[in-house]
């Protein structure tokens, strides 16, 4: 916040509207840009020593897995419920909602994937994770274009037509 207020940095974001509103960024930054292309969705990580995990009884491993699922779902539902309310508050407090241009999104996307490919050539650990992730992501893109995106576009358009 102080760096944004002083002009040391030009922009800031912390997860989404719910956290951004609590942190008061709108008080020192007039524009609120979307989408947050660098963070397409919520994600939690649990880092566990494999040997220690495997040494646990099955029931304890199941408890840990269930707790991880629960934490992830609880976080997602909290933000899904709170972000629309916070976005309305941000706009009501004077923040101006603006989309990133298609050109900015395309440039960021291109630069990101160029970096990922470069890292895959020079970092074997990155490559080991990146390549199967990329294959999975491509399958998900196919599925989401067929089902999720089509449904979302229809539903959001139909919902907007009903809203007074």
């Amino acid at each position: 916040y102080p760096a944004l207020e002083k002009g040391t940095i030009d922009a800031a974001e912390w997860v989404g509207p719910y956290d951004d509103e609590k942190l008061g960024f709108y008080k020192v930054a007039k524009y609120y840009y979307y989408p947050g292309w660098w963070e397409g969705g919520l994600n939690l990580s649990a880092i566990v020593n494999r040997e220690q995990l495997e040494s646990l009884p099955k029931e304890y491993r199941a408890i840990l897995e269930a707790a991880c699922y629960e934490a992830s779902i609880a976080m997602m539902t909290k933000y899904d419920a709170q972000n629309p309310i916070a976005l309305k508050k941000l706009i009501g407090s004077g923040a101006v909602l603006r989309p990133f241009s298609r050109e900015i999104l395309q440039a960021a996307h291109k630069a990101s994937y160029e970096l990922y490919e470069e890292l895959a050539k020079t970092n074997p650990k990155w490559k080991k994770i990146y390549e199967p992730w990329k294959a999975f992501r491509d399958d998900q893109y196919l599925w989401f274009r067929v089902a999720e995106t089509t449904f979302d576009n229809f539903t959001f358009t139909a919902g907007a037509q009903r809203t007074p």
Side-chain angles (χ1 to χ4, degrees), residues 66-144:
C68 290
Y69 280 123
E70 178 63 28
S72 181
I73 291 168
M75 181 183 65
M76 183 173 21
T77 57
K78 175 184 176 179
Y79 280 106
D80 283 350
Q82 296 297 328
N83 277 331
I85 296 164
L87 185 60
K88 289 176 186 177
K89 287 180 183 177
L90 287 169
I91 294 168
S93 297
V96 178
L97 194 60
R98 289 207 172 156
F100 284 112
S101 69
R102 185 139 184 96
E103 294 77 21
I104 288 174
L105 293 172
Q106 287 172 330
H109 184 269
K110 182 177 184 276
S112 296
Y113 285 96
E114 286 173 352
L115 175 62
Y116 300 162
E117 294 295 330
E118 181 181 317
L119 288 170
K121 290 177 185 171
T122 61
N123 184 328
K125 290 179 180 179
W126 174 269
K127 182 178 181 173
K128 182 179 179 181
I129 294 169
Y130 175 66
E131 290 186 349
W133 170 85
K134 185 170 65 168
F136 178 81
R137 180 215 53 203
D138 290 346
D139 285 344
Q140 291 304 300
Y141 282 171
L142 173 63
W143 169 241
F144 272 65

Side-chain angles (χ1 to χ4, degrees), residues 144-162:
F144 272 65
R145 281 194 310 267
V146 168
E148 304 295 334
T149 303
T150 307
F151 176 79
D152 289 348
N153 285 335
F154 169 77
T155 301
F156 296 150
T157 303
Q161 291 170 351
R162 286 191 319 271

